[in-house]
Amino acid sequence: MSNDREAILGRVRAALAPLPQRAALPDWERELVRMRQMQGASDLTATFCARLKGVNGTPLQSAAELADLLAKNQWTRGYCDPALLPLLGAALAGVQVETTFDRTRVDDYAFGITRASAAIAETGTVVLTDGDTSSRLAALAPWAHIVVLKRMDIFPDIPAALAALPADPNIIWVTGPSKTADVEGILIEGVHGPGVQAVLLVD
Amino acid sequence: MAKQLIDQAAATLPADKRVSVYQSTKATHEKRTKLLFDQFNDPDLLRQRAGEIKQHVIENLDTLLPAVEAKLKANGAQVHWASTGEAACEAVLRIMQAHGAKKMVKAKTMVSEEIELAHYLEKHGIEALETDLGEFIVQIDKDHPSHIVRPIIHKNRREIATSFEREGLGAYNDDPETITRRARQFLRHKYLEADVGLTGANFVSVESGRIVLVTNEGNSRFSLAAPKVHIALVGIEKLVPRDRDLGVLLNLLARSATAQQLTVYTEFISGPKGATQPDGPEEMHVIFVDNGRTEVLASDCREILRCIRCGACLNVCPVYRQASGHAYRSVYPGPVGAVLSPLLAGKKFPELADLPKASSLCGACNEVCPVNIPIPDLLLRLREKGKREGAPLASVGTPPMGAWALMASQPTAWKAALFGGKALNYLPTKLIPVPALRAWEEKRALPAWRGGEFRKWMKQRRKS
């Protein structure tokens, strides 16, 4: 293996040696990658919610709306990050909630409620990290993922979110429910991940 | 004249497959164009910058590779190197064996297709299950992917339903939603049973040592949540210098591939799970794979290493649309495959030397390429290489040019041809004795012969 390392790097050096000069790393302005619609957007929460709907995500403005969503779909059993219970306790009164995700009963959870670290307004994306997510599986395996996002944590666009990537081994940007168009190009949601991606906005 | 292999493949492609390939590639291409031009002030400049970033990467791999290795190790990942496809397969097997692991869930990676990893592991008694829906269907059918982004673009729902029924995944049902639900139910338990999750990498940031994965289905995310070991197979050209450069490339990748702003999941992975995290891999292994890439780097076609595997060139290519992916006889179809496959083939170059000829050189692939690869130029360079090396396939389908060469190299023959051409102007075409030809001629005005004027002009000019 170490031989392979030396062999590869040796061949790379040999291949690049004849170049008279190397291509420079271009500098580019953030304006280049900013979407037109974002120029002048001031209300990040409103933009985020509009874009989230655009990718078939579900914005929720209050714990009461969360309770309605669960009741309407008869999602009676699920997971909730223990840190969120004080905030959501009342809304979850009517359902069976567990605070540890038991992977041997992966099919028993209808929903998983976890925390978001941030969001991106321009694309309707939520940012999940190991630092804030209590269980990777709970945010992924249940049919509905409800993520709790603080309004102040919304970035305007992708470059802003990239500039502030936290030191975390697992950062996931989620843009709407899991989906595929592999079969005849027909869009189907809920492939391996959630079929419903809801975002509860809090202050 | 003998037909090119790709023509033969196109001619035998069933009509319904041709229609499905044509329609889906065309629709994706049109959506992509609309999205890019609606959303950005200067999409062409964006493409150029992306190309420059990647060109910088491939021309500085000698310093960037050791730098990213150091960063990955500092993040807690283990780094391996594989000169060949075989070495890469062995490296994966060694990691599996060190854990006594027998089961792997595999996200879609083009490198693993390239090195035929799944077959290799199966031969060594390891279940390596594809988890991307399209790749899963390809695997149970023992078929090959025919598109980089949409592996089963050549299959319809009836074929898939038949395969599912055969594999015991429920009674025949060709509703795409039912197909997807059945795959979901089957595969989620496979993730939980697996010891190892394998992914590729769309990008690796040198600055932070983060592997970036983009997917829509969530299968790679599941592969990084349930199993205890994560292996990432990475082509050595996949680097980007800084995190901020991902802003350019991520903005282009999903739009070019599937006409989305971002794929559903964009994952930045820099090591094993966090200390407090209950699920996720305890070990992360990164295998840097060469498998012919350094040879491409040494060639005059190194620009192809910019490729970010979005498939936009396939969708726009008139040849791919007619012939579909299997006609390219390698894992990379379409214009990018016509350049990359013969180059990666190494000594087997002559076997694929016809691929660069299967192009109209219309330039559409260059126009859509998010990293601005001059694919038509590269195809011409490879055609020349094929001729130079005397690969027999490089000439199939080309009219013999011997008679023309003889005429053009003999001044007397050339003059005679010019004279003969001029004589055609005075030929009484109205009197052609063949009625069909006469009817044809009557509907047309033949252009007047103007050959030889340049020589006359040249002579006059020298005199004065």
Side-chain angles (χ1 to χ4, degrees), chain A residues 4-5 11 22-23 36 107 136 166 171 173 175 178 182 184 190 193, chain B residues 39 59 69 83 134 157 184 189 210 217 224 264 266 268 279 290:
Chain A
D4 278 29
R5 180 186 191 274
R11 288 199 297 266
R22 311 255 181 120
R36 260 184 204 156
D107 292 330
R136 285 189 198 178
I171 304 165
W173 289 2
T175 311
S178 151
D182 271 348
E184 293 190 4
Chain B
Q39 293 183 334
E59 292 188 11
E69 178 189 38
S83 229
R157 61 174 93 184
R184 173 186 171 100
H189 295 282
R210 287 190 173 101
E217 297 183 1
L224 295 178
V264 174
T266 308
F268 304 82
D279 2 86
D290 178 347

PDB file of all heavy atoms in Angstrom, chain A residues 4-5 11 22-23 36 107 136 166 171 173 175 178 182 184 190 193, chain B residues 39 59 69 83 134 157 184 189 210 217 224 264 266 268 279 290:
ATOM      1  N   ASP A   4       2.145   1.712  -3.225  1.00  0.00           N
ATOM      2  CA  ASP A   4       1.184   2.325  -4.132  1.00  0.00           C
ATOM      3  C   ASP A   4       1.187   3.843  -3.983  1.00  0.00           C
ATOM      4  O   ASP A   4       1.094   4.574  -4.963  1.00  0.00           O
ATOM      5  CB  ASP A   4      -0.228   1.783  -3.857  1.00  0.00           C
ATOM      6  CG  ASP A   4      -0.452   0.439  -4.533  1.00  0.00           C
ATOM      7  OD1 ASP A   4       0.546  -0.278  -4.701  1.00  0.00           O
ATOM      8  OD2 ASP A   4      -1.606   0.124  -4.883  1.00  0.00           O
ATOM      9  N   ARG A   5       1.317   4.297  -2.743  1.00  0.00           N
ATOM     10  CA  ARG A   5       1.340   5.739  -2.513  1.00  0.00           C
ATOM     11  C   ARG A   5       2.511   6.368  -3.269  1.00  0.00           C
ATOM     12  O   ARG A   5       2.336   7.332  -4.013  1.00  0.00           O
ATOM     13  CB  ARG A   5       1.468   6.026  -1.011  1.00  0.00           C
ATOM     14  CG  ARG A   5       1.507   7.496  -0.671  1.00  0.00           C
ATOM     15  CD  ARG A   5       1.792   7.721   0.814  1.00  0.00           C
ATOM     16  NE  ARG A   5       1.579   9.109   1.180  1.00  0.00           N
ATOM     17  CZ  ARG A   5       2.504  10.051   1.056  1.00  0.00           C
ATOM     18  NH1 ARG A   5       3.686   9.764   0.555  1.00  0.00           N
ATOM     19  NH2 ARG A   5       2.229  11.301   1.420  1.00  0.00           N
ATOM     20  N   ARG A  11       4.237   9.008 -10.276  1.00  0.00           N
ATOM     21  CA  ARG A  11       3.678   9.163 -11.630  1.00  0.00           C
ATOM     22  C   ARG A  11       3.027  10.532 -11.798  1.00  0.00           C
ATOM     23  O   ARG A  11       3.094  11.135 -12.874  1.00  0.00           O
ATOM     24  CB  ARG A  11       2.660   8.047 -11.904  1.00  0.00           C
ATOM     25  CG  ARG A  11       3.300   6.681 -12.113  1.00  0.00           C
ATOM     26  CD  ARG A  11       2.336   5.727 -12.820  1.00  0.00           C
ATOM     27  NE  ARG A  11       1.137   5.441 -12.052  1.00  0.00           N
ATOM     28  CZ  ARG A  11       1.006   4.378 -11.243  1.00  0.00           C
ATOM     29  NH1 ARG A  11       2.007   3.521 -11.106  1.00  0.00           N
ATOM     30  NH2 ARG A  11      -0.105   4.178 -10.583  1.00  0.00           N
ATOM     31  N   ARG A  22       1.699  26.066 -14.347  1.00  0.00           N
ATOM     32  CA  ARG A  22       0.494  25.410 -13.841  1.00  0.00           C
ATOM     33  C   ARG A  22      -0.695  26.372 -13.858  1.00  0.00           C
ATOM     34  O   ARG A  22      -0.509  27.571 -13.656  1.00  0.00           O
ATOM     35  CB  ARG A  22       0.736  24.961 -12.398  1.00  0.00           C
ATOM     36  CG  ARG A  22       2.054  24.201 -12.234  1.00  0.00           C
ATOM     37  CD  ARG A  22       1.789  22.748 -12.074  1.00  0.00           C
ATOM     38  NE  ARG A  22       2.999  21.979 -11.899  1.00  0.00           N
ATOM     39  CZ  ARG A  22       3.248  21.235 -10.826  1.00  0.00           C
ATOM     40  NH1 ARG A  22       2.404  21.229  -9.817  1.00  0.00           N
ATOM     41  NH2 ARG A  22       4.319  20.494 -10.770  1.00  0.00           N
ATOM     42  N   ALA A  23      -1.881  25.809 -14.031  1.00  0.00           N
ATOM     43  CA  ALA A  23      -3.095  26.637 -14.015  1.00  0.00           C
ATOM     44  C   ALA A  23      -3.285  27.238 -12.613  1.00  0.00           C
ATOM     45  O   ALA A  23      -3.205  26.529 -11.619  1.00  0.00           O
ATOM     46  CB  ALA A  23      -4.307  25.793 -14.389  1.00  0.00           C
ATOM     47  N   ARG A  36     -30.304  34.880  -8.838  1.00  0.00           N
ATOM     48  CA  ARG A  36     -30.931  36.165  -9.132  1.00  0.00           C
ATOM     49  C   ARG A  36     -31.988  36.554  -8.111  1.00  0.00           C
ATOM     50  O   ARG A  36     -32.035  37.675  -7.647  1.00  0.00           O
ATOM     51  CB  ARG A  36     -31.613  36.082 -10.492  1.00  0.00           C
ATOM     52  CG  ARG A  36     -30.797  36.693 -11.584  1.00  0.00           C
ATOM     53  CD  ARG A  36     -31.564  36.658 -12.871  1.00  0.00           C
ATOM     54  NE  ARG A  36     -30.584  36.703 -13.957  1.00  0.00           N
ATOM     55  CZ  ARG A  36     -30.800  36.258 -15.165  1.00  0.00           C
ATOM     56  NH1 ARG A  36     -31.954  35.720 -15.467  1.00  0.00           N
ATOM     57  NH2 ARG A  36     -29.869  36.346 -16.074  1.00  0.00           N
ATOM     58  N   ASP A 107     -38.883  -0.051  12.170  1.00  0.00           N
ATOM     59  CA  ASP A 107     -40.154   0.199  11.484  1.00  0.00           C
ATOM     60  C   ASP A 107     -41.256   0.732  12.394  1.00  0.00           C
ATOM     61  O   ASP A 107     -42.345   1.049  11.941  1.00  0.00           O
ATOM     62  CB  ASP A 107     -40.630  -1.082  10.791  1.00  0.00           C
ATOM     63  CG  ASP A 107     -39.706  -1.455   9.633  1.00  0.00           C
ATOM     64  OD1 ASP A 107     -39.118  -0.526   9.036  1.00  0.00           O
ATOM     65  OD2 ASP A 107     -39.563  -2.653   9.335  1.00  0.00           O
ATOM     66  N   ARG A 136     -28.459   9.939  14.344  1.00  0.00           N
ATOM     67  CA  ARG A 136     -28.505   9.996  12.880  1.00  0.00           C
ATOM     68  C   ARG A 136     -29.677   9.175  12.343  1.00  0.00           C
ATOM     69  O   ARG A 136     -30.372   9.602  11.431  1.00  0.00           O
ATOM     70  CB  ARG A 136     -27.214   9.420  12.290  1.00  0.00           C
ATOM     71  CG  ARG A 136     -26.011  10.312  12.412  1.00  0.00           C
ATOM     72  CD  ARG A 136     -24.846   9.732  11.603  1.00  0.00           C
ATOM     73  NE  ARG A 136     -23.572  10.315  12.020  1.00  0.00           N
ATOM     74  CZ  ARG A 136     -22.388   9.974  11.508  1.00  0.00           C
ATOM     75  NH1 ARG A 136     -22.312   9.059  10.565  1.00  0.00           N
ATOM     76  NH2 ARG A 136     -21.289  10.551  11.943  1.00  0.00           N
ATOM     77  N   PRO A 166     -19.286  24.078  10.451  1.00  0.00           N
ATOM     78  CA  PRO A 166     -18.714  23.814  11.770  1.00  0.00           C
ATOM     79  C   PRO A 166     -17.705  22.664  11.710  1.00  0.00           C
ATOM     80  O   PRO A 166     -17.689  21.892  10.749  1.00  0.00           O
ATOM     81  CB  PRO A 166     -19.935  23.415  12.598  1.00  0.00           C
ATOM     82  CG  PRO A 166     -20.915  22.897  11.621  1.00  0.00           C
ATOM     83  CD  PRO A 166     -20.666  23.592  10.318  1.00  0.00           C
ATOM     84  N   ILE A 171     -21.735  16.574   8.514  1.00  0.00           N
ATOM     85  CA  ILE A 171     -22.629  17.703   8.261  1.00  0.00           C
ATOM     86  C   ILE A 171     -23.497  17.328   7.066  1.00  0.00           C
ATOM     87  O   ILE A 171     -22.976  16.946   6.017  1.00  0.00           O
ATOM     88  CB  ILE A 171     -21.831  18.980   7.930  1.00  0.00           C
ATOM     89  CG1 ILE A 171     -20.850  19.291   9.055  1.00  0.00           C
ATOM     90  CG2 ILE A 171     -22.775  20.152   7.667  1.00  0.00           C
ATOM     91  CD1 ILE A 171     -19.786  20.301   8.663  1.00  0.00           C
ATOM     92  N   TRP A 173     -26.612  18.537   4.547  1.00  0.00           N
ATOM     93  CA  TRP A 173     -27.577  19.522   4.072  1.00  0.00           C
ATOM     94  C   TRP A 173     -28.764  18.745   3.503  1.00  0.00           C
ATOM     95  O   TRP A 173     -28.586  17.934   2.606  1.00  0.00           O
ATOM     96  CB  TRP A 173     -26.977  20.371   2.953  1.00  0.00           C
ATOM     97  CG  TRP A 173     -25.923  21.332   3.394  1.00  0.00           C
ATOM     98  CD1 TRP A 173     -25.421  21.514   4.642  1.00  0.00           C
ATOM     99  CD2 TRP A 173     -25.223  22.253   2.539  1.00  0.00           C
ATOM    100  NE1 TRP A 173     -24.453  22.491   4.628  1.00  0.00           N
ATOM    101  CE2 TRP A 173     -24.314  22.962   3.356  1.00  0.00           C
ATOM    102  CE3 TRP A 173     -25.280  22.554   1.166  1.00  0.00           C
ATOM    103  CZ2 TRP A 173     -23.473  23.938   2.844  1.00  0.00           C
ATOM    104  CZ3 TRP A 173     -24.444  23.518   0.661  1.00  0.00           C
ATOM    105  CH2 TRP A 173     -23.553  24.217   1.496  1.00  0.00           C
ATOM    106  N   THR A 175     -32.372  19.002   1.581  1.00  0.00           N
ATOM    107  CA  THR A 175     -33.206  19.885   0.773  1.00  0.00           C
ATOM    108  C   THR A 175     -34.458  19.124   0.357  1.00  0.00           C
ATOM    109  O   THR A 175     -34.514  18.530  -0.712  1.00  0.00           O
ATOM    110  CB  THR A 175     -32.406  20.368  -0.459  1.00  0.00           C
ATOM    111  OG1 THR A 175     -31.129  20.843  -0.025  1.00  0.00           O
ATOM    112  CG2 THR A 175     -33.129  21.491  -1.186  1.00  0.00           C
ATOM    113  N   SER A 178     -36.502  12.836   0.812  1.00  0.00           N
ATOM    114  CA  SER A 178     -35.742  11.889  -0.001  1.00  0.00           C
ATOM    115  C   SER A 178     -36.506  11.589  -1.287  1.00  0.00           C
ATOM    116  O   SER A 178     -37.714  11.433  -1.267  1.00  0.00           O
ATOM    117  CB  SER A 178     -35.570  10.612   0.829  1.00  0.00           C
ATOM    118  OG  SER A 178     -35.458   9.472   0.026  1.00  0.00           O
ATOM    119  N   ASP A 182     -35.612   7.385 -10.738  1.00  0.00           N
ATOM    120  CA  ASP A 182     -34.952   6.309 -11.485  1.00  0.00           C
ATOM    121  C   ASP A 182     -35.925   5.536 -12.378  1.00  0.00           C
ATOM    122  O   ASP A 182     -35.564   5.095 -13.455  1.00  0.00           O
ATOM    123  CB  ASP A 182     -34.274   5.326 -10.511  1.00  0.00           C
ATOM    124  CG  ASP A 182     -32.842   5.760 -10.184  1.00  0.00           C
ATOM    125  OD1 ASP A 182     -32.335   6.668 -10.875  1.00  0.00           O
ATOM    126  OD2 ASP A 182     -32.235   5.205  -9.259  1.00  0.00           O
ATOM    127  N   GLU A 184     -38.493   5.349 -14.908  1.00  0.00           N
ATOM    128  CA  GLU A 184     -39.128   6.105 -16.000  1.00  0.00           C
ATOM    129  C   GLU A 184     -39.157   7.608 -15.760  1.00  0.00           C
ATOM    130  O   GLU A 184     -40.033   8.311 -16.266  1.00  0.00           O
ATOM    131  CB  GLU A 184     -40.550   5.581 -16.269  1.00  0.00           C
ATOM    132  CG  GLU A 184     -40.557   4.163 -16.820  1.00  0.00           C
ATOM    133  CD  GLU A 184     -41.937   3.721 -17.309  1.00  0.00           C
ATOM    134  OE1 GLU A 184     -42.865   4.545 -17.284  1.00  0.00           O
ATOM    135  OE2 GLU A 184     -42.048   2.562 -17.702  1.00  0.00           O
ATOM    136  N   GLY A 190     -39.630   9.764  -0.585  1.00  0.00           N
ATOM    137  CA  GLY A 190     -39.526   8.768   0.473  1.00  0.00           C
ATOM    138  C   GLY A 190     -38.867   7.490  -0.011  1.00  0.00           C
ATOM    139  O   GLY A 190     -39.468   6.426   0.034  1.00  0.00           O
ATOM    140  N   GLY A 193     -34.796   7.639   2.779  1.00  0.00           N
ATOM    141  CA  GLY A 193     -34.960   8.601   3.860  1.00  0.00           C
ATOM    142  C   GLY A 193     -36.413   9.021   3.992  1.00  0.00           C
ATOM    143  O   GLY A 193     -37.311   8.388   3.438  1.00  0.00           O
TER     144      GLY A 193
ATOM    145  N   GLN B  39     -31.656  31.418 -13.264  1.00  0.00           N
ATOM    146  CA  GLN B  39     -31.227  31.700 -11.898  1.00  0.00           C
ATOM    147  C   GLN B  39     -29.919  32.461 -11.785  1.00  0.00           C
ATOM    148  O   GLN B  39     -29.654  33.068 -10.754  1.00  0.00           O
ATOM    149  CB  GLN B  39     -31.142  30.386 -11.110  1.00  0.00           C
ATOM    150  CG  GLN B  39     -32.526  29.780 -10.912  1.00  0.00           C
ATOM    151  CD  GLN B  39     -32.499  28.521 -10.081  1.00  0.00           C
ATOM    152  OE1 GLN B  39     -31.498  27.832 -10.037  1.00  0.00           O
ATOM    153  NE2 GLN B  39     -33.606  28.211  -9.448  1.00  0.00           N
ATOM    154  N   GLU B  59      -3.584  20.044 -12.206  1.00  0.00           N
ATOM    155  CA  GLU B  59      -2.191  20.439 -12.474  1.00  0.00           C
ATOM    156  C   GLU B  59      -1.394  20.637 -11.185  1.00  0.00           C
ATOM    157  O   GLU B  59      -0.210  21.007 -11.244  1.00  0.00           O
ATOM    158  CB  GLU B  59      -2.157  21.709 -13.340  1.00  0.00           C
ATOM    159  CG  GLU B  59      -2.682  21.438 -14.746  1.00  0.00           C
ATOM    160  CD  GLU B  59      -2.500  22.595 -15.713  1.00  0.00           C
ATOM    161  OE1 GLU B  59      -1.782  23.555 -15.362  1.00  0.00           O
ATOM    162  OE2 GLU B  59      -3.077  22.530 -16.810  1.00  0.00           O
ATOM    163  N   GLU B  69      -4.241  14.223   2.244  1.00  0.00           N
ATOM    164  CA  GLU B  69      -3.968  13.019   3.046  1.00  0.00           C
ATOM    165  C   GLU B  69      -3.705  13.410   4.506  1.00  0.00           C
ATOM    166  O   GLU B  69      -4.283  12.831   5.437  1.00  0.00           O
ATOM    167  CB  GLU B  69      -2.759  12.278   2.480  1.00  0.00           C
ATOM    168  CG  GLU B  69      -2.387  11.046   3.282  1.00  0.00           C
ATOM    169  CD  GLU B  69      -1.055  10.447   2.835  1.00  0.00           C
ATOM    170  OE1 GLU B  69      -0.124  11.221   2.504  1.00  0.00           O
ATOM    171  OE2 GLU B  69      -0.947   9.208   2.820  1.00  0.00           O
ATOM    172  N   SER B  83      -2.955   1.740  -6.674  1.00  0.00           N
ATOM    173  CA  SER B  83      -2.435   2.033  -8.002  1.00  0.00           C
ATOM    174  C   SER B  83      -3.371   1.532  -9.102  1.00  0.00           C
ATOM    175  O   SER B  83      -3.564   2.185 -10.105  1.00  0.00           O
ATOM    176  CB  SER B  83      -1.088   1.322  -8.155  1.00  0.00           C
ATOM    177  OG  SER B  83      -0.134   2.204  -8.633  1.00  0.00           O
ATOM    178  N   GLY B 134     -31.724   2.575  -8.672  1.00  0.00           N
ATOM    179  CA  GLY B 134     -31.354   2.172 -10.032  1.00  0.00           C
ATOM    180  C   GLY B 134     -30.264   1.110 -10.028  1.00  0.00           C
ATOM    181  O   GLY B 134     -30.356   0.099 -10.737  1.00  0.00           O
ATOM    182  N   ARG B 157     -40.933   0.374 -16.420  1.00  0.00           N
ATOM    183  CA  ARG B 157     -41.483  -0.119 -15.151  1.00  0.00           C
ATOM    184  C   ARG B 157     -41.916  -1.581 -15.238  1.00  0.00           C
ATOM    185  O   ARG B 157     -41.882  -2.299 -14.257  1.00  0.00           O
ATOM    186  CB  ARG B 157     -42.651   0.766 -14.719  1.00  0.00           C
ATOM    187  CG  ARG B 157     -43.799   0.783 -15.704  1.00  0.00           C
ATOM    188  CD  ARG B 157     -44.968   1.555 -15.147  1.00  0.00           C
ATOM    189  NE  ARG B 157     -44.922   2.962 -15.551  1.00  0.00           N
ATOM    190  CZ  ARG B 157     -45.790   3.861 -15.134  1.00  0.00           C
ATOM    191  NH1 ARG B 157     -46.744   3.524 -14.300  1.00  0.00           N
ATOM    192  NH2 ARG B 157     -45.720   5.092 -15.560  1.00  0.00           N
ATOM    193  N   ARG B 184     -37.509   0.217  -0.511  1.00  0.00           N
ATOM    194  CA  ARG B 184     -37.243   0.875   0.778  1.00  0.00           C
ATOM    195  C   ARG B 184     -37.350  -0.148   1.918  1.00  0.00           C
ATOM    196  O   ARG B 184     -36.457  -0.253   2.760  1.00  0.00           O
ATOM    197  CB  ARG B 184     -38.276   1.993   0.996  1.00  0.00           C
ATOM    198  CG  ARG B 184     -38.213   2.648   2.384  1.00  0.00           C
ATOM    199  CD  ARG B 184     -39.373   3.652   2.572  1.00  0.00           C
ATOM    200  NE  ARG B 184     -39.441   4.122   3.947  1.00  0.00           N
ATOM    201  CZ  ARG B 184     -38.959   5.288   4.377  1.00  0.00           C
ATOM    202  NH1 ARG B 184     -38.366   6.097   3.529  1.00  0.00           N
ATOM    203  NH2 ARG B 184     -39.070   5.639   5.637  1.00  0.00           N
ATOM    204  N   HIS B 189     -33.540  -2.806   6.179  1.00  0.00           N
ATOM    205  CA  HIS B 189     -33.034  -3.837   7.092  1.00  0.00           C
ATOM    206  C   HIS B 189     -31.628  -4.273   6.698  1.00  0.00           C
ATOM    207  O   HIS B 189     -30.841  -4.681   7.538  1.00  0.00           O
ATOM    208  CB  HIS B 189     -34.012  -5.007   7.136  1.00  0.00           C
ATOM    209  CG  HIS B 189     -35.323  -4.606   7.737  1.00  0.00           C
ATOM    210  ND1 HIS B 189     -35.487  -4.471   9.099  1.00  0.00           N
ATOM    211  CD2 HIS B 189     -36.497  -4.223   7.168  1.00  0.00           C
ATOM    212  CE1 HIS B 189     -36.728  -4.044   9.342  1.00  0.00           C
ATOM    213  NE2 HIS B 189     -37.347  -3.880   8.196  1.00  0.00           N
ATOM    214  N   ARG B 210     -12.680  17.284   3.988  1.00  0.00           N
ATOM    215  CA  ARG B 210     -14.074  16.822   4.008  1.00  0.00           C
ATOM    216  C   ARG B 210     -14.398  16.144   2.691  1.00  0.00           C
ATOM    217  O   ARG B 210     -14.106  16.686   1.634  1.00  0.00           O
ATOM    218  CB  ARG B 210     -15.037  18.003   4.167  1.00  0.00           C
ATOM    219  CG  ARG B 210     -15.059  18.612   5.536  1.00  0.00           C
ATOM    220  CD  ARG B 210     -16.218  19.605   5.635  1.00  0.00           C
ATOM    221  NE  ARG B 210     -16.344  20.065   6.992  1.00  0.00           N
ATOM    222  CZ  ARG B 210     -15.893  21.239   7.414  1.00  0.00           C
ATOM    223  NH1 ARG B 210     -15.297  22.068   6.584  1.00  0.00           N
ATOM    224  NH2 ARG B 210     -16.042  21.584   8.671  1.00  0.00           N
ATOM    225  N   GLU B 217     -31.563  10.019  -2.815  1.00  0.00           N
ATOM    226  CA  GLU B 217     -32.406   8.985  -2.200  1.00  0.00           C
ATOM    227  C   GLU B 217     -32.159   8.846  -0.709  1.00  0.00           C
ATOM    228  O   GLU B 217     -33.018   8.366   0.016  1.00  0.00           O
ATOM    229  CB  GLU B 217     -32.150   7.646  -2.896  1.00  0.00           C
ATOM    230  CG  GLU B 217     -32.527   7.668  -4.363  1.00  0.00           C
ATOM    231  CD  GLU B 217     -32.340   6.324  -5.037  1.00  0.00           C
ATOM    232  OE1 GLU B 217     -31.939   5.370  -4.349  1.00  0.00           O
ATOM    233  OE2 GLU B 217     -32.599   6.238  -6.238  1.00  0.00           O
ATOM    234  N   LEU B 224     -24.029   5.612   6.139  1.00  0.00           N
ATOM    235  CA  LEU B 224     -23.152   6.283   7.095  1.00  0.00           C
ATOM    236  C   LEU B 224     -23.819   6.421   8.458  1.00  0.00           C
ATOM    237  O   LEU B 224     -23.312   7.101   9.348  1.00  0.00           O
ATOM    238  CB  LEU B 224     -22.784   7.684   6.590  1.00  0.00           C
ATOM    239  CG  LEU B 224     -21.949   7.725   5.329  1.00  0.00           C
ATOM    240  CD1 LEU B 224     -21.687   9.154   4.914  1.00  0.00           C
ATOM    241  CD2 LEU B 224     -20.656   6.998   5.542  1.00  0.00           C
ATOM    242  N   VAL B 264     -31.059  16.400  -2.793  1.00  0.00           N
ATOM    243  CA  VAL B 264     -31.718  16.391  -1.491  1.00  0.00           C
ATOM    244  C   VAL B 264     -30.686  16.332  -0.369  1.00  0.00           C
ATOM    245  O   VAL B 264     -30.763  17.059   0.608  1.00  0.00           O
ATOM    246  CB  VAL B 264     -32.700  15.201  -1.385  1.00  0.00           C
ATOM    247  CG1 VAL B 264     -33.279  15.124   0.028  1.00  0.00           C
ATOM    248  CG2 VAL B 264     -33.815  15.351  -2.405  1.00  0.00           C
ATOM    249  N   THR B 266     -26.701  16.745   0.640  1.00  0.00           N
ATOM    250  CA  THR B 266     -25.313  17.106   0.379  1.00  0.00           C
ATOM    251  C   THR B 266     -24.595  16.823   1.684  1.00  0.00           C
ATOM    252  O   THR B 266     -24.911  17.417   2.709  1.00  0.00           O
ATOM    253  CB  THR B 266     -25.188  18.590   0.013  1.00  0.00           C
ATOM    254  OG1 THR B 266     -26.099  18.888  -1.040  1.00  0.00           O
ATOM    255  CG2 THR B 266     -23.767  18.919  -0.435  1.00  0.00           C
ATOM    256  N   PHE B 268     -21.172  16.346   4.063  1.00  0.00           N
ATOM    257  CA  PHE B 268     -19.766  16.716   4.268  1.00  0.00           C
ATOM    258  C   PHE B 268     -19.222  15.810   5.369  1.00  0.00           C
ATOM    259  O   PHE B 268     -19.570  15.974   6.533  1.00  0.00           O
ATOM    260  CB  PHE B 268     -19.648  18.179   4.701  1.00  0.00           C
ATOM    261  CG  PHE B 268     -20.284  19.161   3.752  1.00  0.00           C
ATOM    262  CD1 PHE B 268     -21.648  19.416   3.798  1.00  0.00           C
ATOM    263  CD2 PHE B 268     -19.513  19.840   2.814  1.00  0.00           C
ATOM    264  CE1 PHE B 268     -22.240  20.323   2.928  1.00  0.00           C
ATOM    265  CE2 PHE B 268     -20.101  20.746   1.941  1.00  0.00           C
ATOM    266  CZ  PHE B 268     -21.463  20.991   2.000  1.00  0.00           C
ATOM    267  N   ASP B 279     -25.269   6.581  16.620  1.00  0.00           N
ATOM    268  CA  ASP B 279     -25.071   5.809  15.398  1.00  0.00           C
ATOM    269  C   ASP B 279     -24.060   6.477  14.488  1.00  0.00           C
ATOM    270  O   ASP B 279     -23.785   7.663  14.609  1.00  0.00           O
ATOM    271  CB  ASP B 279     -26.383   5.614  14.618  1.00  0.00           C
ATOM    272  CG  ASP B 279     -27.568   6.290  15.246  1.00  0.00           C
ATOM    273  OD1 ASP B 279     -27.778   7.492  14.980  1.00  0.00           O
ATOM    274  OD2 ASP B 279     -28.250   5.628  16.030  1.00  0.00           O
ATOM    275  N   ASP B 290      -5.963   5.281  -8.330  1.00  0.00           N
ATOM    276  CA  ASP B 290      -5.379   5.792  -9.573  1.00  0.00           C
ATOM    277  C   ASP B 290      -6.055   5.094 -10.762  1.00  0.00           C
ATOM    278  O   ASP B 290      -6.829   5.697 -11.501  1.00  0.00           O
ATOM    279  CB  ASP B 290      -3.864   5.537  -9.556  1.00  0.00           C
ATOM    280  CG  ASP B 290      -3.183   6.010 -10.845  1.00  0.00           C
ATOM    281  OD1 ASP B 290      -3.896   6.300 -11.820  1.00  0.00           O
ATOM    282  OD2 ASP B 290      -1.949   6.078 -10.874  1.00  0.00           O
TER     283      ASP B 290
END
